[in-house]
Amino acid sequence: MNLELNGKRKERLRRFAVLLLALMTLGGLYTFFAPSSAAQDEAESKRVAIQEGKELFEQGCISCHGRGAEGVDDRGPSLVGVGPASVEFQVSTGRMPLPRQEAQAERKPSSYSASEIAALAAYVDSLGGGPKIPDGDLRGDVVLGGELFRLGCASCHGFAANGGALSGGKFAPSLVKSSDREIYAAMLTGPQNMPRFGDNQITPDEKKAIVAYVQSMKADKDPGGAGLGRTGPVPEGLVVFLVGIGGLLVATLWIAGKS
């Protein structure tokens, strides 16, 4: 009798162990293969942003860029493949929407909020991808940035990044009001007259270095007086020489007149 009871207990324990093992295996497989709630939330948030961006596009952009952002002749280019960085730059700086065709789109207050700009960027990104501004800190080596800026940027934007005139009524804009993301996006996308610099031409670290240098010029003061556009010691020395010689000539003539 006791042997029979012990056998039944062992059988029950064995079945329970098998059932527990099966449940644990199924739970592990579900955890491994099933999408996490965080991923689902991210996908849903992206879908909502794209839909919102599409609605905003159809309200304010479709007349120039066409249905599906494929462009309209003599009105606006295709946005397929331009990427979210281009959208963020153009819309956050108020250059788009463009009220009329001009030689150059000028900076003005944006017509969209930050969340609306992000939605527009998400929609355009969904049409064909394109350059994106990386997340995180966008500032790098200031010294390297200064060398790169003087070699490749100062000829148009000026040594102090105050902008400069180009041909045909166009101009390189001042960078005084530009944010880190705007400067990075401009290098990445090449808006208007500016060349586009891919990561194979100017690496991400070099772009961050240029951003850091431009922003450092806004913070740094000129303790020695007027910086004369920070064009360097040669023109500054020339100005000092001419002013000094001019002062001496005026003083000499005044003394001679008195005598």
Side-chain angles (χ1 to χ4, degrees):
M1 186 67 178
N2 290 334
L3 291 174
E4 185 178 349
L5 289 174
N6 289 335
K8 289 182 178 180
R9 288 173 182 171
K10 289 180 180 180
E11 181 64 20
R12 288 173 183 172
L13 288 173
R14 187 185 68 79
R15 291 178 179 177
F16 177 77
V18 171
L19 178 62
L20 182 62
L21 180 61
L23 290 173
M24 291 175 64
T25 302
L26 287 173
L29 290 173
Y30 177 80
T31 302
F32 183 79
F33 289 105
S36 65
S37 59
Q40 290 175 334
D41 292 344
E42 183 179 353
E44 177 62 17
S45 176
K46 184 176 180 179
R47 186 192 67 79
V48 170
I50 291 173
Q51 182 59 35
E52 181 185 351
K54 182 179 180 181
E55 293 173 359
L56 290 168
F57 180 88
E58 291 177 348
Q59 292 170 9
C61 313
I62 195 171
S63 60
C64 290
H65 295 288
R67 190 171 300 278
E70 294 178 352
V72 177
D73 291 341
D74 300 324
R75 301 188 70 176
S78 169
L79 300 182
V80 177
V82 302
S86 180
V87 176
E88 182 173 341
F89 175 84
Q90 296 289 356
V91 181
S92 66
T93 60
R95 290 177 167 86
M96 294 292 158
L98 189 65
R100 58 187 176 276
Q101 293 292 339
E102 297 177 322
Q104 178 123 0
E106 297 192 35
R107 185 188 185 101
K108 59 183 183 295
S110 178
S111 304
Y112 295 89
S113 66
S115 61
E116 289 173 333
I117 293 171
L120 282 169
Y123 172 64
V124 171
D125 186 32
S126 71
L127 299 176
K132 298 180 181 180
I133 303 173
D135 295 326
D137 187 11
L138 294 178
R139 299 195 186 187
D141 184 350
V142 176
V143 176
L144 173 62
E147 295 175 359
L148 294 170
F149 184 88
R150 288 187 289 272
L151 287 173
C153 312
S155 58
C156 292
H157 291 283
F159 284 94
N162 288 323
L166 302 174
S167 61
K170 302 174 182 178
F171 59 89
S174 169
L175 305 180
V176 172
K177 296 182 179 179
S178 299
S179 67
D180 293 3
R181 294 181 67 85
E182 290 167 2
I183 298 171
Y184 196 102
M187 290 186 283
L188 200 60
T189 63
Q192 296 178 295
N193 306 297
M194 183 172 173
R196 178 183 297 180
F197 298 103
D199 289 343
N200 59 332
Q201 296 169 299
I202 300 180
T203 67
D205 286 341
E206 289 174 336
K207 288 186 176 73
K208 292 179 180 180
I210 293 172
V211 171
Y213 175 71
V214 172
Q215 302 297 36
S216 72
M217 287 195 290
K218 302 176 188 178
D220 293 344
K221 305 299 180 182
D222 295 309
L228 301 177
R230 297 185 179 182
T231 51
V234 174
E236 292 174 3
L238 178 61
V239 169
V240 170
F241 174 78
L242 293 175
V243 170
I245 291 296
L248 288 174
L249 287 173
V250 170
T252 302
L253 291 173
W254 181 81
I255 294 171
K258 287 293 183 180
S259 60

